[in-house]
Amino acid sequence: MAPEQHERQQMTNPQAQTGGRHQVVVIGSGFGGLFGTKALKRADADVTMVARTTHHLFQPLLYQVATGILSEGEIAPATREVLSGQQNARVILGDVTDIDLEKRTVTSKVLHRETVTPYDSLIVAAGAGQSYFGNDHFSEFAPGMKSIDDALELRGRIFGAFELAEISDDEDEIERLLTFVVVGAGPTGVEMAGQIAELAHRTLKRDFRRINTREARVILLDAAPQVLPPFGNKLGARAQKDLEGLGVEVKLGAMVTDVDERGIELQNKDGSRERIEAVTKVWAAGVAASPLGRLLAAQTGAPLDRAGRIGVNPDLTLPGHPEVFVVGDMIALDNLPGVAQVAIQGAKYAAKEIRNRIEGKPPQEPFKYWDKGSMATISRFSAVAMVGKLRFTGFIAWLMWLGLHLIYITGFKSQLTALLHWAVSFVGRGRSQRTATEQQIFARAALKRLKGGAADLVAPPGAYEAAQDLIATTRAELEAKAAEEARLSDENRRGVKQDA
């Protein structure tokens, strides 16, 4: 491959350079990024969204992609399609590598291409990733639940485990393959454990001949003393009871000390150590804010908490930089939870403040979060919900969960198909998304082993031009071959012995 070359694309800033429209840059395409961009639809400004993916991910339903209920397209519509009707919005693909607060520029990179985007106002909504509490090597054997790649890899691992068990003659290996461990008893872990249990005990029970999928073990681990700590003791106890009714083994006070290809090691509350043999592990414990928080803190002196979240002013701006708003999982303010509603409400607040400034209106009151409640599903027709002082369980909570998630799935098409797939999976026992390939399981690990990642597999800008002579020669050879193939067909000489 030719030596690495970078192509730098400088975008103009009309207001900064020629007195034109206000330029807003939004980092991230999650709830904060999307709702912030849409809230600026009628603003006298040009909005540029910079994101590392081309889709808007409805993260709360990732576990349903991983367990075959929904397709990735239903929870991750194309951002460009969602924003196609917003004429003042532009989308740029790229992973943000730098924010220069003094020059007011955002630098992003994808493969060998680097883009610099100036701004007058900036909304940083880069979200959070999975935290392995300093043990990032665990991720190779226990994928998290933060991206489409995570969900597809887990789908391959989960369904692949049943397939490998079906062709194994080793009882120890079968047991290891049919043991599924979920680390983290928060909403994601609870929902994941419940769906794997339903998958094994209900959906797949008639599909295999040599193994009995109902003998599969599903284990939910957490170092905390209860399930769903943010939901309180009562709902946590109800969730644990429902999980155990599904056959899920709940182990609390258990801290993970090591993870490898074939199992997971724990230290229990009493100090004893234990190893669980399991090929499929899911990591749903802990989150770490985007590393952009550290970058911003270094330039502003704003404090960071242990999760990497940055301290912001009551109006969500950075200290000393009123033009920069930070929203969602990245902020440390008033003990706000890391949930979608915080990102949505924060982004709308930031967008309104930007509009007020453009229009010369007075600033808003400090940001105040309206808690619309929390919900988690346990299994089909069963959930727990907390709305203010009210607590709901069972079928009523599940209906509330169903309605809320239908509202927030982006796009009518996705809402309709999701509803149909839920009917198939919950009323029946089918799962329409059971395709699993080796590529889903191993491709990401293979890319990580390349020094430059995916960039090592792509020619940098300029390499194509250097290879034009070779391309021309290859084209001529292909054209000659095609002409000969056509001549043989036209003369009916296929299969006829050629003259010497």
Side-chain angles (χ1 to χ4, degrees), residues 246-402:
L246 288 172
V248 176
E249 302 174 34
V250 180
K251 293 179 66 69
L252 301 173
M255 184 174 294
V256 177
T257 58
D258 198 14
V259 181
D260 58 40
E261 182 180 358
R262 296 192 173 195
I264 188 167
E265 296 183 8
L266 316 171
Q267 180 175 332
N268 294 311
K269 190 175 181 179
D270 60 7
S272 63
R273 292 184 175 270
E274 178 184 357
R275 178 176 173 85
I276 300 174
E277 297 292 333
V279 171
T280 306
K281 285 84 63 180
V282 182
W283 194 273
V287 295
S290 166
L292 293 181
R294 292 190 183 89
L295 190 152
L296 295 173
Q299 296 181 64
T300 63
L304 290 175
D305 66 10
R306 292 183 62 184
R309 296 176 298 187
I310 189 168
V312 295
N313 296 323
D315 63 354
L316 305 182
T317 61
L318 284 179
H321 289 272
E323 77 282 1
V324 181
F325 297 84
V326 187
V327 302
D329 295 348
M330 292 185 63
I331 64 172
L333 177 69
D334 301 333
N335 296 312
L336 290 172
V339 296
Q341 274 300 323
V342 171
I344 292 170
Q345 294 177 34
K348 289 181 176 180
Y349 176 93
K352 185 176 181 180
E353 190 64 25
I354 291 171
R355 291 200 312 269
N356 287 349
R357 293 176 184 179
I358 294 173
E359 297 168 5
K361 296 180 179 180
Q364 305 173 84
E365 295 294 322
F367 174 70
K368 185 176 182 180
Y369 170 58
W370 175 31
D371 188 356
K372 295 185 178 181
S374 301
M375 302 179 185
T377 56
I378 312 301
S379 62
R380 67 184 190 122
F381 310 143
S382 178
V384 293
M386 180 175 63
V387 182
K389 296 182 179 180
L390 300 177
R391 302 292 184 267
F392 302 91
T393 62
F395 186 64
I396 293 176
W398 184 82
L399 286 177
M400 294 171 62
W401 172 91
L402 186 74

Side-chain angles (χ1 to χ4, degrees), residues 14-35:
Q15 186 181 45
Q17 298 177 15
T18 64
R21 280 158 64 89
H22 192 88
Q23 301 296 300
V24 183
V25 171
V26 179
I27 299 176
S29 60
F31 287 107
L34 183 66
F35 280 81

Side-chain angles (χ1 to χ4, degrees), residues 411-466:
F412 174 74
K413 179 177 66 175
S414 295
Q415 291 172 332
L416 180 61
T417 55
L419 187 59
L420 291 173
H421 283 145
W422 282 340
V424 170
S425 299
F426 299 145
V427 179
R429 61 181 187 88
R431 307 247 169 153
S432 59
Q433 304 297 322
R434 286 173 54 174
T435 302
T437 68
E438 290 182 353
Q439 178 174 304
Q440 290 174 343
I441 302 172
F442 299 112
R444 183 162 52 172
L447 285 174
K448 286 183 179 178
R449 293 174 186 176
L450 297 174
K451 184 178 180 181
D456 283 353
L457 304 176
V458 179
Y464 176 81
E465 290 76 7

Side-chain angles (χ1 to χ4, degrees), residues 9 11 24-30 32-34 37 46-55 79-80 83 89-99 105-110 113-119 121-127 290 292:
Q9 302 172 349
M11 295 177 61
V24 183
V25 171
V26 179
I27 299 176
S29 60
L34 183 66
T37 300
D46 294 320
V47 186
T48 302
M49 175 189 285
V50 184
R52 64 172 59 182
T53 68
T54 60
H55 56 262
T79 313
R80 294 185 185 279
L83 296 174
R90 181 187 181 192
V91 179
I92 293 178
L93 175 65
D95 190 9
V96 174
T97 57
D98 189 36
I99 302 173
T105 59
V106 172
T107 301
S108 57
K109 185 176 180 181
V110 56
R113 298 180 181 273
E114 191 173 86
T115 304
V116 178
T117 312
Y119 65 84
S121 294
L122 176 65
I123 299 177
V124 185
S290 166
L292 293 181

Side-chain angles (χ1 to χ4, degrees), residues 177-205:
L177 287 164
L178 294 184
T179 299
F180 302 86
V181 177
V182 180
V183 181
T188 299
V190 166
E191 291 170 335
M192 191 70 181
Q195 281 306 313
I196 295 176
E198 284 213 341
L199 188 67
H201 302 158
R202 182 171 177 270
T203 303
L204 302 178
K205 66 180 182 180

